[in-house]
């Protein structure tokens, strides 16, 4: 089973989401019971809407519970902090454009490049993983290979 790498905060957020979804599921069960009590279910829009919402909710609960069972909390991982690994904050320089940018390497569930969170499965992160501060590397991006340099490496 695939591991899902998440921070402790994200893990706790997912646990809260599952709890909230289970409360919604209980409410939907009551709504379905009340709608069913109205009689003819073929033309009962409230009943069908509640059943559909319940199925969506159950799918989301199952998905989240599976991810939580297979979650690795990145805050607890013992990694070599002399090289870029999940949980590291890296400042990278695009050698051709002479531009620097900073990302924190995270699991795919937390990825949000606009907020500086880069999935370790992304092409750029794949290139920097295992590199030490000062090393140059090549990342194979959708537009082709690009050269970068790992300027700064830190674990917060």
């Amino acid at each position: 089973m695939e591991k899902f790498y998440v921070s402790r905060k994200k893990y706790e957020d997912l646990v809260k989401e599952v709890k909230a979804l289970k409360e919604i599921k209980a409410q939907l069960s009551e709504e379905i019971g009340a709608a069913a009590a109205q009689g003819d279910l073929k033309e009962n829009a409230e009943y069908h809407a509640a059943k559909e919402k319940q199925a969506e909710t159950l799918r989301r609960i199952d998905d989240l519970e599976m991810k939580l069972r297979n979650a690795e909390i990145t805050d607890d991982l013992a990694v070599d902090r002399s090289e870029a690994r999940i949980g590291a904050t890296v400042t990278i320089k695009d050698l051709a454009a002479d531009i620097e940018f900073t990302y924190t390497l995270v699991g795919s569930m937390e990825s949000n490049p606009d907020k500086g969170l880069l999935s370790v499965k992304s092409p750029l992160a794949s290139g920097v993983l295992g590199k030490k501060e000062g090393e140059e590397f090549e990342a194979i991006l959708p537009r082709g290979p690009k050269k970068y340099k790992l300027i700064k490496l830190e674990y917060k």
Side-chain angles (χ1 to χ4, degrees):
M1 181 55 50
E2 179 184 359
K3 290 284 182 196
F4 292 92
Y5 293 97
V6 294
S7 65
R8 183 170 314 288
K9 182 187 179 331
K10 182 67 173 179
Y11 184 89
E12 290 167 359
D13 289 347
L14 293 174
V15 169
K16 287 178 189 171
E17 184 178 348
V18 169
K19 184 179 179 193
L21 286 168
K22 286 183 176 181
E23 289 173 10
I24 290 169
K25 181 182 104 174
Q27 289 173 335
L28 288 169
S29 292
E30 289 177 20
E31 288 176 26
I32 290 168
Q38 294 176 8
D40 187 12
L41 298 180
K42 287 183 197 168
E43 296 182 20
N44 189 328
E46 292 165 359
Y47 173 81
H48 293 289
K51 287 293 279 183
E52 192 172 306
K53 179 111 171 117
Q54 183 185 45
E56 276 178 40
T57 302
L58 290 172
R59 276 192 298 276
R60 180 71 177 149
I61 290 170
D62 287 345
D63 179 55
L64 289 176
E65 286 181 335
M66 185 270 302
K67 287 177 177 171
L68 288 169
R69 278 192 302 276
N70 295 296
E72 284 279 339
I73 298 176
T74 56
D75 308 24
D76 298 341
L77 292 177
V79 297
D80 180 352
R81 292 178 176 254
S82 70
E83 53 187 42
R85 297 285 175 209
I86 193 164
T89 299
V90 295
T91 300
I92 299 170
K93 182 176 187 175
D94 179 328
L95 295 176
D98 197 31
I99 298 170
E100 289 185 13
F101 39 92
T102 301
Y103 289 112
T104 299
L105 303 178
V106 297
S108 56
M109 288 182 70
E110 292 180 88
S111 180
N112 187 339
D114 293 339
K115 291 186 177 181
L117 303 173
L118 190 63
S119 169
V120 292
K121 293 185 178 185
S122 72
L124 181 56
S126 294
V128 76
L129 285 172
K131 301 300 181 273
K132 296 182 185 297
E133 206 169 273
E135 277 189 68
E136 292 186 8
F137 64 95
E138 183 176 82
I140 310 300
L141 305 177
R143 292 179 298 228
K146 280 190 94 168
K147 298 270 187 190
Y148 296 94
K149 182 175 184 175
L150 177 54
I151 302 296
K152 185 176 180 185
L153 169 67
E154 60 186 324
Y155 287 86
K156 298 177 180 178

